[in-house]
Amino acid sequence: RIQHHIFHQMNITTVVLWLLQLSTSVLAFTSSSRTNRTDRLSLSMNDPQNEPPCAGTHPFNSLPGDPSLLLVTNIDLGEKKMEIMKACSKIICQHTGKPESYIAVSINDNASVIFGGTDAPTALGNLYSIGSIAMESNGKITSDVTDLLEPWNISEDRIYINFHDMPRANVGWSRRTFAG
C-alpha cells in the first residue's frame, strides 16, 4: 500500500513537471511570436545576408539559434564520420530553413548502445532548436538521416531522433541566452 501511494505520488509529480515544462514552452513561443521580426533577428549569430540560403525554407523560421544534432551510434563510421556530420548539417539547414552557420552536429560513433535489448546496429539522436521544430520537417530530417546511415546496415526501425523546441531562455550562446 505504501509502495502504491509512493508510485502514485511519483506519477502525479511527473505529470505536473511535464505540464509546467509544456506551459513554459508555449509561453516562450507565444511571447516570441508577439515581437516583431526585427527584434527577433537582432540576436543573429552572423550576418545572414552574407550566407547562402538553404534549398528550402521553413514556415516557422523567424528566430536564429542553435539547431544542434547530437547523434550516438554503436557503429564505427570510420573516415566517413565528418562527411556524415556535414551532410546532417545540410539536411537540418534544408528542412528547418536555419542558416548553416547556426547549426551544430556532434556524432559519437562506436558507442555502447543497445536498442530493443540487442547491440545490433542502431542510432539515437536529439535535435534541439529555437523554433523550426514541426511534424513535417521532423519527418523529413528523420528520413534523410536514416538514408545517410543505411550503408552501415542501421535499420530504419532502429533509429530514434527526438526533436526539442527550445525556449530562448534555455539556449546559451556568446555568454548569454537568446532571451538576453
Side-chain angles (χ1 to χ4, degrees):
R1 233 178 176 183
I2 293 173
Q3 286 178 329
H4 182 268
H5 178 71
I6 291 171
F7 180 74
H8 183 70
Q9 284 284 131
M10 287 176 52
N11 281 342
I12 291 172
T13 303
T14 302
V15 169
V16 168
L17 289 174
W18 179 80
L19 288 171
L20 284 171
Q21 186 177 24
L22 179 64
S23 66
T24 302
S25 296
V26 169
L27 286 173
F29 176 77
T30 303
S31 65
S32 69
S33 66
R34 287 185 188 142
T35 62
N36 68 40
R37 183 167 168 73
T38 305
D39 291 343
R40 289 183 300 213
L41 295 176
S42 66
L43 292 174
S44 68
M45 294 166 64
N46 293 316
D47 184 1
Q49 294 176 351
N50 293 333
E51 182 161 343
C54 292
T57 59
H58 189 284
F60 304 120
N61 181 29
S62 59
L63 297 171
D66 193 40
S68 302
L69 174 64
L70 307 175
L71 189 67
V72 179
T73 181
N74 57 358
I75 298 302
D76 184 355
L77 300 174
E79 294 177 7
K80 295 287 188 178
K81 182 176 178 177
M82 185 58 66
E83 184 180 316
I84 292 169
M85 290 171 65
K86 289 179 179 179
C88 285
S89 181
K90 292 196 181 312
I91 287 167
I92 295 165
C93 177
Q94 178 183 1
H95 296 302
T96 65
K98 300 280 188 165
E100 198 167 9
S101 64
Y102 298 167
I103 298 169
V105 176
S106 175
I107 295 180
N108 180 10
D109 63 339
N110 208 23
S112 298
V113 182
I114 65 168
F115 186 118
T118 76
D119 65 349
T122 190
L124 308 173
N126 285 285
L127 181 73
Y128 302 90
S129 181
I130 298 173
S132 297
I133 298 291
M135 185 173 63
E136 184 178 326
S137 59
N138 297 353
K140 289 177 181 178
I141 291 168
T142 301
S143 180
D144 288 354
V145 170
T146 300
D147 289 345
L148 278 178
L149 298 175
E150 191 174 43
W152 281 269
N153 297 319
I154 302 176
S155 174
E156 64 186 28
D157 64 350
R158 294 189 52 80
I159 299 172
Y160 274 141
I161 302 177
N162 297 298
F163 295 85
H164 308 274
D165 194 352
M166 301 298 295
R168 295 164 54 98
N170 291 352
V171 180
W173 171 76
S174 192
R175 298 180 181 252
R176 61 184 181 165
T177 69
F178 279 89

